[in-house]
Amino acid sequence: MKTLARSRLFAPLFVALTASAWAALWLWDAGPYARYLRHASWAELPLIGALCRAAPGASLTLAASLHSAAWLLMIAAMMLPTAFPLFETFARMTSARENSRALMLLLIAGYASAWALFGLVAHGFDATLHQLADRSPALLANGWLIGAAIVALAGAYQFSRLKQRCLDKCRSPLMFIAEHWRGRSARRESFLLGVRHGVFCIGCCWALMLVMFAVGTGSVGWMLALGAIMAIEKNFRWGRAIGTPLGVALLAWSAWIVLQNARIA
């Protein structure tokens, strides 16, 4: 009975966790510190800014910590729903174990670790582009080229074999667990299962996540739209049908950006 009750509680708790992450993002975006969810300097923040100026090296450390916290909150809101089938299947398969909760936490931690590493790479890439733009008047004046290129890349990636292979892995959670989890070294395997699934999830979604950087990481509306698209692609039967139209739409959007700016020039 306890096992059955625990299994039934998983979905509501998962929904509550995701809803809490979205609520936190919405409150952050609606509050006085909304700009710190985007690309502004964390050193400008009251109290934190004073600490950054007082302690050498604190600015970089605090900025990295706060950006990491913001990124993980975005991942919890956007990507956890896309991986719900895996988590729910794993919860049912391990519900009879006494340490089932610990194994689930390790699975989620592994998944979050993969996305955290991607976040570091993406933020580094984004920061490098901003530095290049600041040092190049021509690039700064034509920053739309970067946005158009990223949107075009996301559109082209929709048609790639790599994306389809990653989607196939994500759409078959039971087979994925059977392939990567034996339950012998349960804790280690649970964490690594989360990491592996996170890697395939990144393979599905990295290009669309770069679009989020291009349009603004602090826009809750964009995050909600992109999160919904990625969840549909991975978790619904008709998700396969939106891949091609989405790719065409992204390529058309990129072309529209180029045409609009070519007219102005």
Side-chain angles (χ1 to χ4, degrees):
M1 290 295 292
K2 288 184 178 180
T3 297
L4 182 60
R6 192 181 301 169
S7 179
R8 288 177 177 175
L9 278 174
F10 178 76
L13 288 173
F14 193 89
V15 170
L17 174 64
T18 304
S20 297
W22 278 112
L25 280 176
W26 181 81
L27 289 172
W28 192 339
D29 189 57
Y33 298 135
R35 63 188 185 279
Y36 302 110
L37 193 59
R38 301 177 177 89
H39 300 294
S41 173
W42 288 94
E44 299 172 12
L45 193 62
L47 299 180
I48 292 177
L51 179 60
C52 289
R53 292 186 291 273
S59 178
L60 180 61
T61 302
L62 280 172
S65 299
L66 291 168
H67 274 301
S68 297
W71 175 254
L72 289 175
L73 186 60
M74 293 178 199
I75 292 305
M78 294 178 66
M79 303 313 303
L80 285 182
T82 73
F84 174 76
L86 176 84
F87 297 138
E88 195 270 339
T89 302
F90 186 79
R92 285 191 284 105
M93 290 180 66
T94 59
S95 59
R97 290 175 174 259
E98 293 182 0
N99 61 344
S100 60
R101 292 178 182 176
L103 296 181
M104 176 57 66
L105 289 175
L106 286 168
L107 175 67
I108 294 175
Y111 183 81
S113 297
W115 273 106
L117 181 59
F118 172 79
L120 288 175
V121 175
H123 274 95
F125 175 72
D126 184 66
T128 300
L129 286 180
H130 278 78
Q131 288 181 356
L132 289 174
D134 290 341
R135 295 175 183 175
S136 172
L139 187 59
L140 188 62
N142 297 283
W144 57 270
L145 285 169
I146 297 175
I150 290 174
V151 173
L153 175 63
Y157 189 65
Q158 286 296 119
F159 303 98
S160 71
R161 291 184 179 179
L162 178 59
K163 167 141 189 172
Q164 299 310 314
R165 180 172 179 268
C166 291
L167 279 173
D168 287 340
K169 290 286 186 179
C170 292
R171 287 167 176 161
S172 307
L174 183 59
M175 292 180 61
F176 192 87
I177 294 172
E179 183 179 355
H180 297 287
W181 197 82
R182 298 290 183 272
R184 296 168 186 168
S185 302
R187 293 177 181 272
R188 175 176 172 275
E189 289 180 16
S190 297
F191 180 80
L192 291 178
L193 177 67
V195 171
R196 291 186 180 109
H197 194 268
V199 169
F200 280 108
C201 190
I202 292 168
C204 297
C205 307
W206 67 269
L208 290 176
M209 293 297 280
L210 288 185
V211 171
M212 185 182 74
F213 277 85
V215 300
T217 54
S219 172
V220 175
W222 273 110
M223 283 189 278
L224 184 59
L226 290 171
I229 289 171
M230 289 184 282
I232 290 170
E233 262 198 317
K234 291 170 63 177
N235 297 339
F236 291 87
R237 291 181 180 178
W238 49 278
R240 299 175 186 274
I242 72 169
T244 298
L246 178 60
V248 171
L250 288 168
L251 291 172
W253 183 14
S254 176
W256 181 82
I257 293 173
V258 173
L259 289 174
Q260 286 294 106
N261 286 275
R263 288 179 183 177
I264 295 174

